[in-house]
Amino acid sequence: MSHDVVVLGASVAGLTVARRLAAEGYDVLVLDPNQEFRSAAIGHGVAAVGHASTVAAMAHAYGPAAVLEHARRNAAAMDEIRQIHPEALTLPLRDRSLPGGDERETREVAGLFRKSGVEAQVVIGPDGAALLTDALAVDPVAYAESLRSAAVAAGAQVVHSVTVTHLTRKEGVTRVGFRNNLAWVRDVGVVGGVAVVDTLGVSPWGRAARIGPAQWVPIVRCTPARPLAEISLHATGPAWMARPVGDSALVVGQKTGLSTIDGATAALRRWATGTLAATDVETARMAIDPSDHGRPVVGASAIPGGYYARGNGRGELMNGTASGFYLAGLLLGDPSSAI
């Protein structure tokens, strides 16, 4: 059986592109190796138009035009999230991710955001400059449920607990072989897609596009002495992001390697108990794919008729939505969508 589009992975990127294409009348099938909601329910659940440190690095590497594209695409992604999940909270984002709180560079980033149509303020404090913008915060599991429901309601078929085994291109259609994850199921199924979107990294391009080895991020869930009223980003120290989750908090650490993740997790725990006077502290860790100056790899793949999209695991909500939004516009030929 052939479909218009086969999406590999019910990730945020996969379900976003599936929903948008199905809503336009395309026959879309999503194949996912995990149980429902698992692939999309990762990350810290925060989406913003950009982080100051990422935007500054992007401007130096690619120029201001890339920053404007990044901000506009993320702003469109935030509108997408609001549409799918009205429960998303809009919170202030206090961004001190630029090393040293550089005022000049912070003002340059704010100027680029304003040029892209995004409201941004610069606040000068004792510890340097901070960039103030709005961010969205969601519960990742709840958003994954909303996104999958929206994709199915739009007409996409989503199949879980199946693993892709091989991809072949023949007569204008990519044949996707897959098998049920149950150990005793031996039969291999095959479906076809005129276009294939890989969000799992199973295609030749997906494997090649991993820019470097996986990185690790420590995570702390805790109850701060005072509930947080905003999301904050930090340039130095064990913590990279702290966000409220009701009266609790989620603290995400700086990226590190596998050999240093234990020490980084212990340091993040100490930061939470010291800085937030936190109790009920629980620790975890997350492996993420590195991105290129914050830009998820997205575009045509090595498979003829194929496309590749990947959100950085730490920012899957933001980058995954933006990637899915972009790819849907690319396949639909809609320049306003593929910002």
Side-chain angles (χ1 to χ4, degrees), residues 267-323:
L268 189 64
R269 184 187 185 99
R270 291 192 296 271
W271 184 92
T273 55
T275 304
L276 303 180
T279 56
D280 305 319
V281 180
E282 299 178 358
T283 61
R285 62 183 65 180
M286 178 171 63
I288 65 172
D289 285 338
S291 58
D292 187 6
H293 295 292
R295 307 182 81 191
V297 182
V298 57
S301 79
I303 307 171
Y307 299 85
Y308 179 79
R310 189 80 166 177
N312 185 315
R314 190 169 71 175
E316 179 71 10
L317 177 69
M318 182 170 80
N319 291 338
T321 307
S323 296

Side-chain angles (χ1 to χ4, degrees), residues 80-113:
E80 187 91 353
I81 293 164
R82 290 187 183 98
Q83 178 182 348
I84 297 300
H85 195 65
E87 295 83 0
L89 297 176
T90 300
L91 295 172
L93 172 63
R94 187 176 298 271
D95 187 342
R96 292 189 290 264
S97 62
L98 283 172
D102 190 301
E103 180 179 347
R104 178 190 59 81
E105 200 160 30
T106 301
R107 293 193 183 280
E108 289 177 357
V109 172
L112 288 169
F113 278 171

Side-chain angles (χ1 to χ4, degrees), residues 243-287:
R243 62 154 291 192
V245 183
D247 291 336
S248 299
L250 176 69
V251 185
V252 182
Q254 306 284 354
K255 298 175 184 177
T256 187
L258 181 59
S259 62
T260 53
I261 184 61
D262 289 339
T265 303
L268 189 64
R269 184 187 185 99
R270 291 192 296 271
W271 184 92
T273 55
T275 304
L276 303 180
T279 56
D280 305 319
V281 180
E282 299 178 358
T283 61
R285 62 183 65 180
M286 178 171 63

Side-chain angles (χ1 to χ4, degrees), residues 198-257:
D198 175 15
T199 72
L200 294 178
V202 300
S203 71
W205 175 251
R207 291 192 295 269
R210 296 179 186 274
I211 298 164
Q215 297 173 309
W216 289 82
V217 176
I219 296 172
V220 162
R221 298 179 186 275
C222 60
T223 302
R226 295 182 179 179
L228 303 182
E230 62 183 16
I231 302 165
S232 60
L233 294 182
H234 307 268
T236 58
W240 172 73
M241 170 183 284
R243 62 154 291 192
V245 183
D247 291 336
S248 299
L250 176 69
V251 185
V252 182
Q254 306 284 354
K255 298 175 184 177
T256 187

